[in-house]
């Protein structure tokens, strides 16, 4: 579905809400720009709000103003008046706007809080019931206080908050639940009593089809759930620790990327215009290797997907081998690594070369054999996209040379190296201006004389950003182009510090500088930039 299709659907829903408002002689309200009273919203039971699809807006002591998706539902209005002991003034809004407003007011967190209370204060009976394969907020509010409800609610809340991972950590007296949102771990709820640790882990093992009797060795599994009409895959890692087993659940929401980017293009990821111009020049080359590097969770795979989406055409055969296939792209052949069955990156890549591809994506180069095959593929007329874990564009070179690949073949095959990080984007609704003292500037590698009067921005927190102060992430990067002089310096094993100086003299912008540009323009904060890049 393209951005135009999504915009058209949203507009049609809003038009229908306006038509209902006119038909039933009530006012129409655009909830997207309305600031909700979280305390008022959370004074209603969550299942009550979702059952009647309404949002309380204002209470003056005599009349309760509400926005609802169906202003003709008199039974619902009567129930709300009876529950709150007020007359109700109705405004019309689209169903999507109502549900988005409830999400913003953290009703999912309220459900999680309610589901958790029993596990903090009382012992629950042994869990029972079949495994749920569909989770909705209505089901969560209907379920009794069981382990099944708790685990399902944790997962539901994590998906609602767009978390990428759920961490379940066993401590001496408690179990801590954390969500990784925009790359940062945050406490999801109050700590749970330690006595429920084994029940929670066992429930996750049952969902993932793992051995619940084995508690001494790591286990990996996966499961799939349907949440709000979309199917989401979850990868599970169980690790034995000193206080019991810990679990990390990776959320692979295939629709999240298409919601964030209706059309997945490189210019939507946050790269500077200069890097975009250079990188796009290399991704349309007929052959060679394009390396994207960075730590885990730095957006490497998304960048490669965006590049492939831009260059795909019916004339080319594009094949990828990944572990796992996180997002499916129409028109591209994607292969999932399965090491248990013997399908490794090395073996898969050899098979791909017999499949007559034009362009190849290798999810990650982990060993010398895969590196050698990828280099040979690039030298024999294929355009190869791949990722390597390294800190910057120069560490990649050392990483490959330590794999004992032929330096001449490697340098000859290489088109460019892109190193990237993700920095969090400050919430535009609540970011606050600030000026730093000289010591803070010096510790961040900034000249006090130059930046003493510079206005920076810091996070504050509001309902729009779930009180975090940030909304989403954007990419910063550095791109190394392989000029003849740089190739010669690498081949004669010159120190990488000298290669860096030459690259910068030829116009390469370091990743720290790329981040500073985002900082000065008010996109991110100094603290977040210092967290992902070295102070120079």
């Amino acid at each position: 579905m393209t951005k135009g299709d999504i915009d058209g659907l949203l507009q049609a829903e809003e038009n229908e809400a306006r038509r209902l408002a006119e038909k039933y002689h009530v006012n129409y309200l655009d909830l997207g720009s309305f600031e909700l009273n979280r305390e008022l919203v959370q004074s209603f039971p969550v299942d009550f709000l979702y059952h009647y699809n309404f949002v309380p807006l204002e209470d003056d002591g005599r009349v309760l103003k509400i926005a609802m998706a169906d202003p003709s539902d008199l039974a619902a209005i009567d129930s709300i008046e009876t529950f709150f002991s007020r007359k109700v003034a109705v405004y019309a809004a689209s169903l999507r706007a109502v549900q988005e407003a409830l999400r913003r007011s953290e009703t999912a967190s309220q459900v999680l809080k309610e589901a958790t209370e029993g596990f903090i204060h009382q012992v629950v009976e042994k869990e029972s019931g079949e495994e749920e394969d569909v989770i909705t907020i209505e089901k969560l509010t209907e379920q009794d206080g069981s382990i099944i409800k708790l685990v399902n609610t944790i997962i539901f809340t994590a998906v609602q908050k767009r978390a990428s991972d759920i961490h379940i950590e066993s401590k001496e007296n408690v179990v801590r639940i954390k969500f990784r949102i925009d790359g940062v771990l945050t406490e999801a709820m109050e700590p749970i009593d330690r006595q429920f640790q084994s029940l929670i882990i066992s429930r996750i093992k049952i969902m993932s089809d793992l051995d619940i009797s084995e508690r001494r060795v790591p286990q990996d599994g996966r499961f799939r759930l349907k949440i709000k009409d979309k199917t989401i895959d979850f990868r599970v890692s169980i690790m034995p620790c000193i206080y019991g087993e810990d679990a990390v659940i990776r959320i692979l929401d295939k629709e999240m990327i298409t919601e964030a980017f209706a059309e997945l293009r490189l210019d939507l990821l946050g790269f500077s215009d200069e890097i975009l111009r250079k990188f796009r020049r290399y991704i349309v080359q007929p052959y060679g290797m394009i390396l994207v590097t960075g730590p885990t969770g730095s957006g490497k795979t998304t960048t490669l997907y965006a590049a492939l989406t831009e260059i795909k055409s019916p004339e080319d055969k594009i094949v990828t081998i990944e572990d796992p296939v996180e997002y499916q792209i129409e028109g591209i052949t994607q292969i999932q690594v399965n090491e248990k069955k013997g399908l490794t990156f090395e073996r898969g890549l050899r098979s791909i070369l017999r499949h007559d591809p034009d362009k190849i994506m290798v999810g990650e180069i982990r060993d010398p054999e895969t590196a050698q095959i990828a280099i040979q593929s690039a030298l024999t007329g294929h355009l190869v996209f791949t990722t390597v874990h390294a800190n910057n564009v120069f560490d990649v070179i050392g990483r490959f040379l330590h794999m004992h690949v032929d330096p001449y073949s490697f340098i000859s095959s290489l088109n460019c190296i892109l190193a990237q990080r993700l920095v969090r984007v400050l919430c535009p609704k609540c970011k606050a201006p600030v000026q730093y003292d000289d010591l803070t500037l010096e510790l961040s590698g900034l000249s006090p004389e130059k930046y003493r009067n510079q206005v920076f921005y810091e996070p504050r927190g509001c309902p729009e950003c779930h009180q975090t102060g940030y909304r989403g992430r954007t990419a910063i990067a550095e791109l190394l182009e392989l000029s003849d002089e740089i190739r010669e310096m690498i081949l004669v094993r010159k120190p990488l510090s000298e290669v860096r100086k030459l690259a910068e003299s030829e116009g390469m912008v370091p990743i720290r500088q790329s981040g500073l540009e985002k900082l000065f323009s008010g996109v991110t904060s100094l603290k977040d930039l210092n967290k992902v890049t070295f102070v120079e």
Side-chain angles (χ1 to χ4, degrees):
M1 186 178 286
T2 65
K3 187 177 187 303
D5 293 335
I6 293 171
D7 291 344
L9 191 62
L10 294 174
Q11 191 58 50
E13 289 189 13
E14 295 300 326
N15 291 341
E16 176 63 16
R18 285 190 173 90
R19 189 188 68 77
L20 288 174
E22 189 175 341
K23 180 178 179 180
Y24 295 107
H25 306 290
V26 298
N27 291 322
Y28 167 80
L29 181 67
D30 179 9
L31 276 175
S33 57
F34 191 89
E35 190 165 332
L36 296 173
N37 182 334
R38 290 174 68 204
E39 290 185 7
L40 179 60
V41 174
Q42 295 185 1
S43 66
F44 286 83
V46 180
D47 52 341
F48 191 68
L49 294 168
Y50 276 88
H51 181 69
Y52 292 118
N53 285 312
F54 78 97
V55 182
L57 305 172
E58 188 181 315
D59 173 31
D60 62 5
R62 294 179 300 105
V63 177
L64 173 69
K65 293 180 181 177
I66 67 168
M68 65 189 305
D70 185 4
S72 68
D73 192 345
L74 297 179
I77 295 169
D78 286 343
S79 297
I80 297 166
E81 287 181 338
T82 303
F83 178 86
F84 207 68
S85 304
R86 298 271 195 284
K87 285 289 291 178
V88 166
V90 177
Y91 291 78
S94 70
L95 178 60
R96 188 186 294 261
V98 168
Q99 293 184 340
E100 176 62 21
L102 291 175
R103 186 189 67 78
R104 286 206 319 270
S105 63
E106 300 209 333
T107 50
S109 297
Q110 193 178 344
V111 173
L112 181 58
K113 185 178 178 183
E114 291 168 3
T116 310
E117 286 174 356
F119 296 92
I120 297 171
H121 301 298
Q122 66 185 41
V123 178
V124 297
E125 296 179 6
K126 187 177 179 181
E127 62 179 282
S128 61
E130 293 297 315
E131 178 183 341
E132 295 289 341
D133 60 350
V134 179
I135 300 179
T136 63
I137 204 153
E138 290 83 0
K139 279 200 175 185
L140 294 174
T141 52
E142 287 168 7
Q143 288 174 339
D144 61 0
S146 67
I147 291 291
I148 293 175
K149 176 184 177 180
L150 177 65
V151 174
N152 282 352
T153 307
I154 290 169
I155 293 169
F156 179 86
T157 309
V159 172
Q160 285 283 85
K161 291 194 169 190
R162 297 183 177 276
S164 61
D165 301 84
I166 303 167
H167 288 240
I168 299 167
E169 301 176 351
S170 305
K171 303 300 179 187
E172 187 173 6
N173 298 312
V174 296
V175 178
R176 296 193 179 277
I177 311 294
K178 298 178 181 179
F179 295 157
R180 187 178 294 281
I181 302 171
D182 291 334
V184 177
L185 279 176
T186 55
E187 294 271 358
M189 53 198 276
E190 292 292 316
I192 296 173
D193 195 296
R194 175 77 172 77
Q195 63 184 314
F196 302 109
Q197 180 266 343
S198 62
L199 289 173
I200 293 169
I201 298 295
S202 293
R203 174 61 187 160
I204 293 168
K205 285 182 178 178
I206 290 168
M207 295 172 77
S208 312
D209 198 22
L210 299 176
D211 183 359
I212 61 171
S213 64
E214 180 56 76
R215 299 181 179 179
R216 294 160 298 179
V217 297
Q219 295 188 66
D220 295 315
R222 60 177 62 227
F223 62 91
R224 178 176 291 179
L225 291 173
K226 195 168 185 182
I227 299 179
K228 291 177 66 178
D229 298 323
K230 62 180 178 180
T231 300
I232 300 176
D233 290 318
F234 299 84
R235 274 194 300 160
V236 177
S237 173
I238 308 286
M239 182 72 70
C241 301
I242 58 172
Y243 295 119
E245 291 175 295
D246 283 10
V248 174
I249 304 172
R250 166 65 57 89
I251 302 170
L252 299 173
D253 186 351
K254 292 181 173 66
E255 293 181 28
M256 191 184 293
I257 198 165
T258 54
E259 286 178 11
F261 314 108
E263 295 176 85
L264 185 56
R265 300 195 315 268
L266 287 167
D267 56 340
L268 298 174
L269 303 183
F271 296 118
S272 68
D273 292 340
E274 183 66 12
I275 283 181
L276 265 180
R277 183 182 62 78
K278 292 177 178 177
F279 191 57
R280 278 179 164 149
R281 190 169 74 231
Y282 288 111
I283 66 174
V284 296
Q285 297 295 322
Y287 56 85
M289 182 185 288
I290 293 165
L291 275 176
V292 180
T293 188
T296 302
S298 60
K300 301 184 297 295
T301 305
T302 303
T303 297
L304 290 184
Y305 279 136
L308 291 176
T309 303
E310 285 200 5
I311 65 170
K312 69 176 182 177
S313 83
E315 298 173 357
D316 289 329
K317 176 83 167 185
I318 302 177
V319 186
T320 76
I321 179 161
E322 308 163 62
D323 183 21
V325 175
E326 293 189 24
Y327 307 108
Q328 294 165 6
I329 305 175
E330 190 177 342
I332 293 177
T333 302
Q334 295 174 273
I335 300 168
Q336 169 96 33
V337 165
N338 188 339
E339 295 194 355
K340 287 182 180 177
K341 300 291 185 181
L343 179 53
T344 60
F345 275 111
E346 178 194 357
R347 188 170 177 183
L349 187 49
R350 288 186 190 278
S351 298
I352 287 172
L353 292 174
R354 295 192 290 270
H355 212 68
D356 189 28
D358 296 290
K359 297 173 175 62
I360 302 167
M361 180 184 125
V362 183
E364 183 187 345
I365 289 182
R366 300 174 179 172
D367 53 71
E369 293 77 20
T370 308
Q372 196 64 55
I373 302 166
I375 291 166
Q376 291 303 318
S377 304
L379 290 172
T380 54
H382 302 93
L383 186 63
V384 178
F385 296 82
T386 190
T387 72
V388 178
H389 282 99
N391 288 323
N392 55 55
V393 292
F394 302 100
D395 286 351
V396 173
I397 298 166
R399 180 87 189 272
F400 265 84
L401 295 179
H402 287 143
M403 287 187 189
H404 303 295
V405 298
D406 175 38
Y408 184 81
S409 298
F410 170 56
I411 297 304
S412 300
S413 69
L414 204 51
N415 287 1
C416 70
I417 305 173
L418 179 79
Q420 69 177 73
R421 299 284 188 283
L422 293 177
V423 292
R424 290 187 289 173
V425 176
L426 287 164
C427 175
K429 288 278 182 75
C430 65
K431 67 180 183 181
V434 67
Q435 288 180 312
Y436 292 117
D437 56 48
D438 289 2
L439 179 60
T440 302
L441 292 171
E442 285 176 4
L443 290 173
S444 297
L446 299 173
S447 165
E449 290 76 19
K450 187 174 181 181
Y451 296 108
R452 190 173 289 132
N453 298 318
Q454 171 81 35
V455 176
F456 298 90
Y457 289 88
E458 285 192 342
R460 282 291 179 266
C462 68
E464 288 287 331
C465 58
H466 300 298
Q467 307 301 324
T468 63
Y470 297 95
R471 289 183 68 185
R473 289 184 289 177
T474 188
I476 57 174
E478 61 185 11
L479 181 75
L480 176 65
E481 299 181 276
L482 279 294
S483 65
D484 291 340
E485 291 84 357
I486 288 176
R487 290 181 198 273
E488 287 169 10
M489 287 183 75
I490 296 170
L491 286 173
V492 297
R493 302 292 182 109
K494 288 277 188 180
L496 292 177
S497 57
E498 291 185 26
V499 181
R500 172 182 282 276
K501 286 178 185 174
L502 177 60
E504 289 181 8
S505 71
E506 291 181 353
M508 188 194 88
V509 177
I511 196 167
R512 174 76 178 180
Q513 187 60 42
S514 175
L516 288 173
E517 290 170 9
K518 300 270 188 189
L519 175 68
F520 297 146
S521 59
V523 173
T524 192
S525 66
L526 183 61
K527 179 182 176 183
D528 212 64
L529 178 62
N530 288 342
K531 195 172 170 183
V532 298
T533 62
F534 283 108
V535 175
E536 295 175 351

